[in-house]
Amino acid sequence: MAETTLQIAGRHYDIRCRDGDEPHLAQLANLIEEKARVAQRSTPGLTEVRTLLFSALFLADELTDLRKAEAGRQEKLSLEADDDQAAQAVEQLAGRIEKLRETLAAAAAAA
């Protein structure tokens, strides 16, 4: 187990983590610190707990937006797949119609 110290909202937190996870935790702490600074600038005088609360809310809001965007992207991909299937079905029908036309034209010519 490794130990690292993260600084968030002006406080230091000693954290134990798996070996090698320190850079990732530092990156996460930087994201939280960034949101904490936004909270402190927009509402001066916040307590530490409320600063962390607002930081979490800001991050949750961003996560929700990303999830909605991903769901929209997945829906679009699904619709595009449906479009491909529909196009294939139309092509098959066109082929059947063409064969039917040829059969009818041959029958008319024979008569």
Side-chain angles (χ1 to χ4, degrees):
M1 275 284 177
E3 272 195 36
T4 188
T5 301
L6 306 176
Q7 182 177 340
I8 301 171
R11 289 210 44 198
H12 295 274
Y13 297 92
D14 294 325
I15 304 288
R16 292 179 59 97
C17 61
R18 288 181 292 186
D19 291 335
D21 280 353
E22 300 91 343
H24 181 65
L25 283 173
Q27 183 182 16
L28 295 176
N30 286 337
L31 289 172
I32 297 168
E33 174 65 22
E34 181 181 307
K35 298 304 176 190
R37 277 189 253 126
V38 170
Q40 289 170 336
R41 277 195 308 267
S42 62
T43 312
L46 286 178
T47 64
E48 176 186 351
V49 171
R50 291 192 61 82
T51 297
L52 293 175
L53 169 66
F54 278 98
S55 300
L57 290 172
F58 292 154
L59 289 168
D61 185 48
E62 286 183 18
L63 179 60
T64 300
D65 290 346
L66 289 171
R67 285 180 175 169
K68 285 179 185 176
E70 178 62 20
R73 190 181 75 77
Q74 291 296 328
E75 184 178 340
K76 181 181 176 192
L77 289 175
S78 175
L79 291 174
E80 288 173 359
D82 290 345
D83 288 348
D84 289 343
Q85 291 173 349
Q88 289 175 356
V90 168
E91 287 177 20
Q92 289 174 349
L93 285 173
R96 290 173 61 189
I97 290 170
E98 183 61 27
K99 286 181 184 177
L100 180 59
R101 185 196 64 77
E102 290 171 0
T103 302
L104 290 174

